[in-house]
Amino acid sequence: MKKGIGILLIASGIIFGITCTGLLFTDGVFYLFLFILLAFPLFMVGQWLRIGHSLTKQILVKFTAIFVQVAFLIPSIFLVLNNYSKLKNETFAREGFLWFQPTSSSAIGLIGTLLLIVLVLSIMPKILFGWTHGGKPLTGFILSLFVLTVTFLFITWNDYQAIHEEEGIVVSTWWGKQQTVDWASVDSVEITPYVLKRVANKYSKEPIFAWRFEFKQSNGDQVSFKRTDLSTYNLEQSQRVKEQIQKENIPLSIGQMDEATTKWYELELELENLNPEHFNEFFKN
């Protein structure tokens, strides 16, 4: 019984600690105090109940290291990628941008996310078994991967694409190529709602509803922009782009949702407590 309660408190402490870490970077230092004074004690009391005897100094140090790394270090690594994207937005976004996407291709965003995931997975054995685990080879691999990740983020800093109210589609690639596709060069646009099977930054394998704008050019090329979160902000942003397309008299079509897509669309509207009327209006031809 005590062991079961202990495991429950350990899980609660870690979950609460991760939550405090996320809020610390957005809502201020108050959550640092909650991390220390509430999440950490919950975790330690859980460990005390789980092992069934007093905590020695050595065990206290070990459990403290595990908690800080699991509840603070690992979430912080993923927050770095999220804040990196926000910083790019603040740096490159300018007046007239209707939409800003921090990478010019989904592959670049995927590589960055995978590097962070591999980095976290590499650190986990050190967290669980101590920093001497794996010896110099694992330590060297972690350091090399860290340098590689930082280098990748630095190299792709100038990589983004955007939709500008007057200029059209603005694309800046990581190798220095910049291109603007004016509205006159866009033959047609298609808005496609679909179900995205897995999204790494959601920490989940559950399908989610998503939609993309596909701008088809007269030369056969196309540029895509996608959104994976149903929110009022994303709806308003998408609506502004839709209105601009109509203002430019560019043919616009909206794909019909199949049964699976409709299911997740309605479920997310309900979970997020969103007014379906405005979203239904947007996804109508």
Side-chain angles (χ1 to χ4, degrees), residues 224-254:
S224 296
F225 293 79
K226 70 177 182 180
R227 278 291 178 264
T228 57
D229 292 306
L230 274 179
S231 67
T232 301
Y233 173 80
N234 283 340
L235 173 66
E236 291 173 350
Q237 186 183 56
S238 297
Q239 184 61 40
R240 287 195 296 269
V241 174
K242 183 179 179 182
E243 290 171 358
Q244 185 63 37
I245 293 167
Q246 293 169 333
K247 181 180 176 181
E248 298 291 338
N249 294 317
I250 298 172
L252 173 66
S253 62
I254 301 176

Side-chain angles (χ1 to χ4, degrees), residues 59-130:
I59 293 175
L60 278 171
V61 171
K62 177 183 177 182
F63 285 160
T64 300
I66 290 174
F67 179 76
V68 169
Q69 292 168 82
V70 173
F72 183 79
L73 177 61
I74 293 176
S76 296
I77 290 175
F78 286 100
L79 284 168
V80 164
L81 183 61
N82 184 51
N83 289 325
Y84 172 79
S85 299
K86 289 181 180 179
L87 184 59
K88 287 182 72 170
N89 191 345
E90 294 170 0
T91 302
F92 295 109
R94 50 190 169 87
E95 186 177 355
F97 273 179
L98 302 174
W99 187 305
F100 182 88
Q101 194 163 286
T103 60
S104 63
S105 74
S106 57
I108 292 176
L110 179 61
I111 291 171
T113 302
L114 288 176
L115 283 172
L116 289 176
I117 290 174
V118 174
L119 181 61
V120 167
L121 292 177
S122 302
I123 293 173
M124 283 303 296
K126 298 278 191 182
I127 294 173
L128 295 175
F129 307 113

Side-chain angles (χ1 to χ4, degrees), residues 126-226:
K126 298 278 191 182
I127 294 173
L128 295 175
F129 307 113
W131 282 96
T132 57
H133 179 79
K136 291 182 179 180
L138 181 56
T139 301
F141 175 77
I142 292 172
L143 292 175
S144 300
L145 189 59
F146 176 78
V147 172
L148 176 63
T149 302
V150 172
T151 302
F152 177 81
L153 295 178
F154 176 78
I155 290 174
T156 58
W157 172 250
N158 291 311
D159 188 275
Y160 69 88
Q161 63 184 35
I163 302 172
H164 192 276
E165 184 176 9
E166 297 178 357
E167 297 174 16
I169 311 301
V170 180
V171 180
S172 175
T173 61
W174 63 270
W175 60 85
K177 180 182 178 182
Q178 295 197 15
Q179 176 188 10
T180 299
V181 181
D182 58 44
W183 290 113
S185 300
V186 179
D187 267 2
S188 64
V189 180
E190 183 175 353
I191 300 174
T192 306
Y194 63 103
V195 173
L196 191 60
K197 297 296 183 182
R198 299 184 180 201
V199 180
N201 63 0
K202 290 287 185 179
Y203 307 98
S204 171
K205 295 181 180 179
E206 287 292 329
I208 64 167
F209 176 80
W211 68 100
R212 63 176 171 265
F213 283 82
E214 294 178 291
F215 293 83
K216 300 178 181 180
Q217 304 170 45
S218 53
N219 62 4
D221 293 339
Q222 68 178 44
V223 182
S224 296
F225 293 79
K226 70 177 182 180

Side-chain angles (χ1 to χ4, degrees), residues 11-28:
S12 300
I14 290 175
I15 292 171
F16 192 61
I18 291 173
T19 303
C20 288
T21 298
L23 294 173
L24 171 65
F25 286 91
T26 56
D27 295 341

